[in-house]
Amino acid sequence: MTRHLLRDDDLTSAEQAEILELAAVLKKDRWKLKPLAGPQTVAVIFDKSSTRTRVSFAVGIADLGGSPLIISTANSQLGGKETPSDTARVLERQVAAIVWRTYAQAGLEEMARGTTVPVVNALSDDFHPCQLLADLLTITEHKGALKGLTLTFYGDGTSNMGHSYVLACVTAGMHVRVASPLAYAPRADVVADAEAIAATTGGSVTLYTDPDEAAAGADVIVTDTWVSMGKEEEKAARLRDLGPYKVTPHTMSLAASDAIFIHCLPADRGYEVDAEVIDGPQSVVWDEAENRLHAQKALLVWLLRQQ
């Protein structure tokens, strides 16, 4: 059966660990594996603008011996005339895998049902599993084993990043705290899925409205932009509602003395995070950005091995 990565809990705890271990190997020896030699082509489709996703997948596919085919839906039939499943059936006869950065999670699910090659969610409105693999790799590098660590996410828990942190971190056996207003808490079904996983891994999910309480003793502090793509018209309300959840030097002082700060970027300094934090000594955001390359290469290698 073809394996896909559409949301973080598509991977078991053991599979997630296997991919992270492979990512560490590929970071040390970048050209060690060439499963796409030929070169085979990987379709990388963009509905949304991108820097890190575009660069890391294009470079990573080339590193693996393949050829990245960058497609904009604005200039393809997928932009309106053709269904995701029909597009998938066309692509599968010519490419080794499909990577899609899009809006609706339902489109990714339809594409995956309609193809025999792996489909990777490079970001949707609901989840961002590729970013979480990079984040977990980064945390592992700086903190050692993931199991038992406490990570606190600040801001919009209903966002794709909020949902992915909840699912991916409990899969790794971590304790996840989400600090947000009640109206911005993660979706109940995602929390329920995470709690079911946590029962098997020893992790946990806790929702907070008090930002200081959520920071106490945390090993990792993380936030994301408050105004995601497609939410621009809500900017004023979001800045008002989420203002108390900005990550500041005070926030970091409440966390563990050796806590690290991560942010998937791009960042709005002075909004969700103070410049003193993201540009300070506890920030590992540049390692995190680089690790998109290594984590995604490992993911592609792993998915291709399942074929």
Side-chain angles (χ1 to χ4, degrees), residues 2 8 34 57 72-73 77 81 132 155 198 200 232 234 241 263 282:
T2 303
D8 305 80
K34 299 282 188 179
F57 268 113
S72 167
T73 49
Q77 299 297 349
K81 291 185 177 180
L132 260 291
T200 70
E232 290 81 5
E234 301 174 15
D241 296 344
H263 188 308
Q282 291 172 284

Short mmCIF file of all heavy atoms in Angstrom, two decimals, residues 2 8 34 57 72-73 77 81 132 155 198 200 232 234 241 263 282:
data_model
loop_
_atom_site.label_atom_id
_atom_site.label_comp_id
_atom_site.label_asym_id
_atom_site.label_seq_id
_atom_site.Cartn_x
_atom_site.Cartn_y
_atom_site.Cartn_z
N THR A 2 0.54 2.19 -0.85
CA THR A 2 1.30 3.43 -0.93
C THR A 2 1.15 4.22 0.35
O THR A 2 0.04 4.41 0.86
CB THR A 2 0.82 4.28 -2.12
OG1 THR A 2 0.95 3.52 -3.32
CG2 THR A 2 1.64 5.56 -2.23
N ASP A 8 0.40 14.73 10.63
CA ASP A 8 1.51 14.24 11.46
C ASP A 8 1.28 12.83 12.00
O ASP A 8 2.23 12.05 12.14
CB ASP A 8 1.74 15.20 12.62
CG ASP A 8 1.96 16.62 12.13
OD1 ASP A 8 0.97 17.31 11.82
OD2 ASP A 8 3.12 17.04 12.02
N LYS A 34 20.85 8.10 -3.05
CA LYS A 34 20.38 8.64 -4.34
C LYS A 34 19.18 7.83 -4.86
O LYS A 34 19.22 7.29 -5.97
CB LYS A 34 21.50 8.59 -5.37
CG LYS A 34 22.73 9.41 -5.02
CD LYS A 34 22.52 10.88 -5.28
CE LYS A 34 23.82 11.66 -5.10
NZ LYS A 34 23.64 13.10 -5.37
N PHE A 57 12.75 21.63 -0.74
CA PHE A 57 12.34 20.48 -1.56
C PHE A 57 13.12 20.44 -2.88
O PHE A 57 13.55 19.38 -3.32
CB PHE A 57 10.84 20.49 -1.81
CG PHE A 57 10.07 19.70 -0.80
CD1 PHE A 57 9.22 20.32 0.09
CD2 PHE A 57 10.20 18.32 -0.72
CE1 PHE A 57 8.51 19.59 1.04
CE2 PHE A 57 9.50 17.57 0.22
CZ PHE A 57 8.66 18.22 1.11
N SER A 72 3.04 25.69 -10.44
CA SER A 72 2.11 26.64 -9.82
C SER A 72 0.70 26.28 -10.27
O SER A 72 0.45 26.14 -11.46
CB SER A 72 2.44 28.07 -10.22
OG SER A 72 1.39 28.94 -9.86
N THR A 73 -0.21 26.13 -9.32
CA THR A 73 -1.58 25.79 -9.71
C THR A 73 -2.22 26.90 -10.53
O THR A 73 -3.15 26.66 -11.30
CB THR A 73 -2.46 25.50 -8.49
OG1 THR A 73 -2.30 26.54 -7.53
CG2 THR A 73 -2.08 24.19 -7.85
N GLN A 77 -3.82 22.98 -14.86
CA GLN A 77 -5.24 22.63 -14.84
C GLN A 77 -5.75 22.37 -13.43
O GLN A 77 -6.95 22.46 -13.17
CB GLN A 77 -5.48 21.39 -15.73
CG GLN A 77 -5.12 21.58 -17.19
CD GLN A 77 -5.95 22.65 -17.88
OE1 GLN A 77 -6.94 23.13 -17.35
NE2 GLN A 77 -5.54 23.03 -19.08
N LYS A 81 -9.73 23.54 -13.45
CA LYS A 81 -10.41 22.71 -14.44
C LYS A 81 -10.32 21.22 -14.15
O LYS A 81 -11.11 20.44 -14.68
CB LYS A 81 -9.82 22.98 -15.83
CG LYS A 81 -10.15 24.36 -16.39
CD LYS A 81 -9.63 24.50 -17.81
CE LYS A 81 -10.01 25.85 -18.40
NZ LYS A 81 -9.51 25.99 -19.79
N LEU A 132 7.20 20.04 11.17
CA LEU A 132 7.38 19.40 12.47
C LEU A 132 8.52 18.39 12.46
O LEU A 132 9.24 18.25 13.47
CB LEU A 132 6.08 18.74 12.92
CG LEU A 132 5.30 19.56 13.93
CD1 LEU A 132 6.01 19.64 15.29
CD2 LEU A 132 5.01 20.96 13.42
N GLY A 155 0.12 31.21 20.90
CA GLY A 155 -0.56 31.90 19.81
C GLY A 155 -1.82 31.21 19.35
O GLY A 155 -2.67 30.82 20.15
N ALA A 198 -1.06 9.99 22.88
CA ALA A 198 -0.30 10.22 24.11
C ALA A 198 -0.46 9.07 25.10
O ALA A 198 0.47 8.74 25.84
CB ALA A 198 -0.74 11.53 24.76
N THR A 200 -0.41 6.08 24.48
CA THR A 200 0.48 4.99 24.09
C THR A 200 1.95 5.37 24.15
O THR A 200 2.82 4.50 24.14
CB THR A 200 0.16 4.50 22.66
OG1 THR A 200 0.54 5.50 21.71
CG2 THR A 200 -1.32 4.19 22.51
N GLU A 232 -5.45 37.42 6.33
CA GLU A 232 -5.01 38.81 6.39
C GLU A 232 -6.12 39.77 6.83
O GLU A 232 -5.85 40.77 7.52
CB GLU A 232 -4.46 39.26 5.02
CG GLU A 232 -3.14 38.63 4.63
CD GLU A 232 -3.27 37.22 4.06
OE1 GLU A 232 -4.42 36.76 3.87
OE2 GLU A 232 -2.24 36.59 3.79
N GLU A 234 -8.20 39.34 9.03
CA GLU A 234 -8.42 39.22 10.47
C GLU A 234 -7.28 39.81 11.28
O GLU A 234 -7.23 39.66 12.51
CB GLU A 234 -8.58 37.75 10.85
CG GLU A 234 -9.72 37.03 10.14
CD GLU A 234 -9.73 35.53 10.45
OE1 GLU A 234 -9.06 35.12 11.42
OE2 GLU A 234 -10.40 34.78 9.72
N ASP A 241 -6.35 40.00 20.07
CA ASP A 241 -6.66 38.79 20.85
C ASP A 241 -5.40 38.07 21.32
O ASP A 241 -5.37 37.51 22.43
CB ASP A 241 -7.51 37.83 20.03
CG ASP A 241 -8.87 38.39 19.67
OD1 ASP A 241 -9.30 39.40 20.30
OD2 ASP A 241 -9.51 37.85 18.74
N HIS A 263 10.86 28.82 15.82
CA HIS A 263 9.82 29.53 15.05
C HIS A 263 10.00 29.10 13.61
O HIS A 263 11.11 29.16 13.07
CB HIS A 263 10.02 31.04 15.19
CG HIS A 263 8.92 31.89 14.60
ND1 HIS A 263 8.46 31.74 13.32
CD2 HIS A 263 8.21 32.91 15.14
CE1 HIS A 263 7.50 32.64 13.09
NE2 HIS A 263 7.33 33.36 14.18
N GLN A 282 19.16 31.93 22.89
CA GLN A 282 18.36 30.70 23.03
C GLN A 282 17.64 30.32 21.74
O GLN A 282 17.06 29.23 21.65
CB GLN A 282 17.34 30.88 24.16
CG GLN A 282 17.96 30.94 25.54
CD GLN A 282 16.97 31.33 26.62
OE1 GLN A 282 16.58 32.48 26.77
NE2 GLN A 282 16.53 30.34 27.38
#
